[in-house]
Amino acid sequence: ASSPTPASTEKTQGETSTASTTPAADAPKEKTKGEVQCEHTLLGTLQHVGELERTGDLSVSIASAGFSAEPLKKNVTSCYAGYNETPSEAALAEADAMNTRMREAALESAKKGKLQDAAAPDSAAEAAIKKDFLDKHPGSEVKRVFMTSAWKTNYNGLAVRNRYKDAIVVMAVKDTDICLRVPANAAQAATTGGGFDSKWKHDIFDKGRVVPCK
């Protein structure tokens, strides 16, 4: 049998292996401490956005301040500054995008929201709730307060501890045409004489559900 040709048995002079010339994939760039901290901050906001999209729930603080990206950008900048770093344009852009997503989620969720039915009005309780709400959340725009239950009673064993009524605070979501339905109540402690204290105590939540204002 004829011997194999040189071309079939060995590489020609100057020819190299394809495997040896393929460049190695670039190793992923290690994140800075500021970038890691910023990711945690944005992740927390993303969780709030996800909850808003799923349930329509929004914090009173955001509803009162409006959907501005500046507070989130300030937090992002602070994350980097803590490690003497400067926030990247991408991080600030992500904060903008997340804020926009939150606003859009609120507007969309409000279309499916509705106010609860009102119970008999109680002007004294309603006024007390509104005052307490504005004391806790100054700058909020309260559209109305209405009761959603008659008196209920709490007991310590067999003894009456207090009585209370449930209510709703309807506040405007700043810079939008939607509102936030915030659950609240007004309570009066029982007195030793079998009556109730004239002073009101309140349990106003810091979260509500986005709804149409009417």
Side-chain angles (χ1 to χ4, degrees):
S2 60
S3 60
T5 63
S8 65
T9 57
E10 60 182 19
K11 300 181 185 300
T12 59
Q13 186 177 9
E15 183 182 356
T16 57
S17 168
T18 302
S20 66
T21 58
T22 302
D26 292 336
K29 180 183 176 183
E30 186 175 350
K31 294 178 181 178
T32 68
K33 292 181 178 180
E35 287 173 331
V36 172
Q37 185 63 41
C38 175
E39 285 183 353
H40 287 309
T41 297
L42 292 175
L43 178 60
T45 302
L46 183 60
Q47 290 172 339
H48 289 309
V49 174
E51 181 181 19
L52 175 58
E53 291 173 335
R54 291 191 308 273
T55 67
D57 287 349
L58 183 70
S59 71
V60 171
S61 59
I62 292 177
S64 182
F67 294 101
S68 168
E70 293 313 308
L72 183 55
K73 285 183 175 181
K74 185 176 180 179
N75 286 343
V76 168
T77 301
S78 178
C79 289
Y80 282 88
Y83 299 100
N84 294 319
E85 299 174 19
T86 301
S88 65
E89 290 298 324
L92 296 176
E94 188 173 356
D96 267 324
M98 199 168 293
N99 181 73
T100 298
R101 178 177 168 183
M102 181 178 288
R103 178 187 175 90
E104 291 175 348
L107 295 176
E108 188 62 30
S109 294
K111 296 176 183 178
K112 298 175 283 187
K114 62 179 182 179
L115 293 174
Q116 292 173 245
D117 294 332
D122 185 328
S123 58
E126 290 162 10
I129 289 171
K130 181 176 180 179
K131 179 181 183 306
D132 189 68
F133 187 91
L134 291 174
D135 286 344
K136 291 180 178 178
H137 306 288
S140 299
E141 180 185 350
V142 174
K143 295 283 191 179
R144 60 184 286 220
V145 178
F146 63 90
M147 312 311 295
T148 58
S149 78
W151 285 114
K152 300 179 184 179
T153 306
N154 281 322
Y155 291 85
N156 282 330
L158 297 177
V160 174
R161 179 163 60 90
N162 65 14
R163 67 176 183 175
Y164 68 96
K165 287 183 177 182
D166 293 319
I168 289 292
V169 176
V170 182
M171 65 170 294
V173 178
K174 188 175 180 180
D175 298 330
T176 72
D177 59 357
I178 65 174
C179 284
L180 193 67
R181 184 191 78 200
V182 185
N185 64 33
Q188 292 177 319
T191 61
T192 55
F196 294 92
D197 197 328
S198 60
K199 294 180 180 179
W200 297 94
K201 293 185 178 181
H202 309 280
D203 182 14
I204 296 179
F205 299 91
D206 291 333
K207 184 183 295 184
R209 186 153 296 183
V210 288
V211 295
C213 290
K214 296 181 180 180

